[in-house]
Amino acid sequence: MHKVILVVLDGLGYQVAHDCMGFMQALVERKKGRMYRIECELPGLSRPLYETLLTGTHPLDSGITHNQVIRKSNQQSIFSLASKAGLKTAAAAYYWISELYNESPFDKIRHRYSVTPGKPVQQGIFYYADTYPDSHLFSDAEFLRQQYDPDFLLVHSMNIDDAGHHHGCNSVEYRHAAREADNLLSEYLPIWLQQDYQIIVTSDHGMNSDCTHGGVTSEEREIPLYIAGSAFQLDAEPAISQLDLCGVMCTLLGITQHGKPENRDILA
Ligand SMILES: [Zn+2]
């Protein structure tokens, strides 16, 4: 039974993560973590792939096939499974997470700060501007962690994706947003690792030079998957997919019979 933090850096492609995120690479070089190159499921869009990451369900099976499907998920999510198991959940995330798992449609006054023990996301701070600073988002997440001691915490940033939509993947702005996220991770990950959290840092999809994503080019589809923590197997060379992560997180949390695909190759 472990505590788990999932960091989703929206819109971060593999190559820019590899090239620009020196703190994360330090964890890899010092064998405190691993980095994998994985392919996002299709279509490579945010809302469908939040659902994939958090429920282990392919967009064609979840029905969340595009970003304008504004309804609650009808799948069992890491939030609902953890809540049913008596665990504590929290999220600092874009408001689409609230729409998928707590309240749909999102009301920016009533739902931004959600102290909702009866909902799948029991404690939430949801932002609704793509320019909401990642620095503030990480503060929100760390506040939730310190205040509520969640067993599962989602940290979901948007500035990399936003920079990509304005400037494309080959821009200074996009790379700088990735570097800023790496800086923030360098501030918080050492604390979380010291307190023995199991940490997954990944993305929903990448970004192309047309300032968008959703297709099958490597820039859009290849994303990083970092793992760090004492419960991970760092020597394996597993074939792992985005669909496996929900099951992996359930196993880490000690949730049995979760019914999700999983990949034990990355677990110690
Ligand atoms: Zn996007």
Side-chain angles (χ1 to χ4, degrees):
M1 174 97 60
H2 300 278
K3 291 186 179 181
V4 175
I5 296 177
L6 172 65
V7 180
V8 177
L9 303 173
D10 207 291
L12 176 63
Y14 173 84
Q15 199 59 49
V16 166
H18 177 272
D19 294 350
C20 295
M21 298 180 66
F23 169 75
M24 294 306 292
Q25 208 57 44
L27 292 177
V28 175
E29 288 190 7
R30 295 299 295 269
K31 308 223 180 311
K32 307 257 186 221
R34 277 292 299 268
M35 180 190 199
Y36 300 106
R37 182 202 314 248
I38 65 173
E39 288 198 326
C40 73
E41 298 303 321
L42 295 174
L45 300 171
S46 288
R47 197 185 299 246
L49 296 180
Y50 302 160
E51 176 81 337
T52 292
L53 286 165
L54 296 164
T55 71
T57 311
H58 191 280
L60 292 183
D61 297 324
S62 70
I64 309 290
T65 52
H66 60 85
N67 283 336
Q68 282 71 47
V69 181
I70 302 170
R71 64 160 168 82
K72 285 208 273 186
S73 165
N74 54 26
Q75 305 293 314
Q76 291 290 332
S77 70
I78 186 76
F79 294 113
S80 60
L81 289 163
S83 293
K84 274 186 206 145
L87 302 177
K88 291 182 281 184
T89 66
Y94 195 57
Y95 73 100
W96 291 359
I97 299 296
S98 172
E99 289 188 328
L100 280 167
Y101 306 108
N102 272 22
E103 299 279 1
S104 191
F106 178 80
D107 181 307
K108 67 185 181 183
I109 307 301
R110 287 188 296 133
H111 303 144
R112 172 155 163 67
Y113 297 102
S114 296
V115 180
T116 46
K119 299 275 184 185
V121 183
Q122 296 164 23
Q123 312 291 341
I125 301 178
F126 300 107
Y127 61 95
Y128 51 90
D130 292 16
T131 51
Y132 187 70
D134 286 358
S135 55
H136 293 44
L137 178 272
F138 272 81
S139 298
D140 293 343
E142 183 63 2
F143 168 79
L144 290 170
R145 190 188 71 81
Q146 292 188 16
Q147 192 74 15
Y148 299 107
D149 190 27
D151 298 288
F152 174 72
L153 172 64
L154 170 66
V155 186
H156 170 221
S157 72
M158 192 56 77
N159 291 169
I160 298 170
D161 186 71
D162 189 55
H165 282 299
H166 286 96
H167 305 284
C169 67
N170 298 316
S171 66
V172 171
E173 290 85 353
Y174 181 71
R175 290 190 297 272
H176 272 358
R179 292 179 183 116
E180 175 59 23
D182 186 58
N183 257 327
L184 290 163
L185 291 166
S186 77
E187 184 177 344
Y188 293 104
L189 250 67
I191 301 167
W192 299 343
L193 286 171
Q194 193 178 22
Q195 298 191 27
D196 206 26
Y197 286 83
Q198 309 307 314
I199 299 160
I200 295 173
V201 180
T202 189
S203 174
D204 47 355
H205 52 71
M207 182 66 62
N208 65 22
S209 54
D210 293 340
C211 302
T212 191
H213 49 81
V216 299
T217 66
S218 59
E219 289 166 333
E220 292 163 88
R221 200 164 186 196
E222 291 183 356
I223 56 169
L225 168 65
Y226 300 93
I227 53 175
S230 59
F232 287 109
Q233 158 75 261
L234 299 179
D235 299 326
E237 291 294 341
I240 186 158
S241 92
Q242 229 176 5
L243 292 165
D244 298 330
L245 294 178
C246 181
V248 167
M249 294 189 290
C250 285
T251 301
L252 288 167
L253 288 165
I255 300 168
T256 55
Q257 298 180 337
H258 47 74
K260 302 297 182 184
E262 67 174 314
N263 189 328
R264 287 179 178 266
D265 289 355
I266 64 168
L267 299 176

